[in-house]
Amino acid sequence: MSRWSRSSAGLVAVALGAVAWAAQPVIYPAKGQSASQQKKDDGECKTWATGNTGVDPAALAAAPPPPAPAPPPPGAGGQRARGAAKGAVIGGAIGDSDDAKTGAVVGAVAGGAKARQQKQATASQQQQAAQQQSQQQQQQMATFQKAYGACMEGRGYTVK
């Protein structure tokens, strides 16, 4: 995994933790509940919301980042060399050794471009997977918070 990909995955994990923390609703004891009663109700409502939604915020925040991509198959890194060989063969078939050299250079450049395109496509796929995972976790947290808020409101708290 490239240095950029590792950094991106780390930032996604930190952002998910921050989103989970920032999504906490503000609870006000509207009926004069004591701090100990609020703490008890909070714990019971979190347990109820977890059981009702199947979403555990602690597990969600601790979820690992998307897995690293599989390493390229053997020989996948030789696009430049294969391009040079193909170019040399084509150049040699067309003309003399100078044409073969020119064909090899052109083929090497084309092979290098193909390798860069493949690398960029893989990085883009990794980024999309991380974004999808982030969105899914945000939706799960929203579902949990909605259930938690409903429970706390049912116990006489104002939830914002």
Side-chain angles (χ1 to χ4, degrees):
M1 180 184 272
S2 73
R3 186 171 144 196
W4 183 84
S5 296
R6 283 191 304 264
S7 298
S8 295
L11 288 174
V12 167
V14 169
L16 290 175
V19 167
W21 181 257
Q24 298 283 333
V26 176
I27 308 295
Y28 178 75
K31 294 186 178 179
Q33 297 93 328
S34 67
S36 62
Q37 182 63 44
Q38 184 174 352
K39 186 174 182 178
K40 178 180 179 243
D41 290 339
D42 181 70
E44 289 175 358
C45 283
K46 284 182 179 176
T47 300
W48 179 83
T50 297
N52 221 19
T53 63
V55 177
D56 182 1
L60 207 56
Q79 284 94 351
R80 188 174 296 206
R82 282 193 292 278
K86 288 177 187 176
V89 169
I90 292 170
I94 293 174
D96 60 12
S97 64
D98 286 338
D99 290 332
K101 290 177 190 174
T102 302
V105 170
V106 170
V109 170
K114 183 176 178 181
R116 281 189 299 280
Q117 288 173 344
Q118 288 175 344
K119 191 174 185 178
Q120 288 173 345
T122 300
S124 176
Q125 290 170 350
Q126 289 173 341
Q127 187 176 21
Q128 288 175 351
Q131 287 174 343
Q132 287 175 346
Q133 181 181 13
S134 173
Q135 289 172 349
Q136 182 181 19
Q137 288 179 336
Q138 288 174 1
Q139 289 171 347
Q140 289 173 335
M141 275 305 296
T143 300
F144 173 85
Q145 294 298 353
K146 187 174 180 180
Y148 168 74
C151 178
M152 290 298 281
E153 282 179 357
R155 292 178 182 228
Y157 295 87
T158 299
V159 180
K160 297 282 179 178

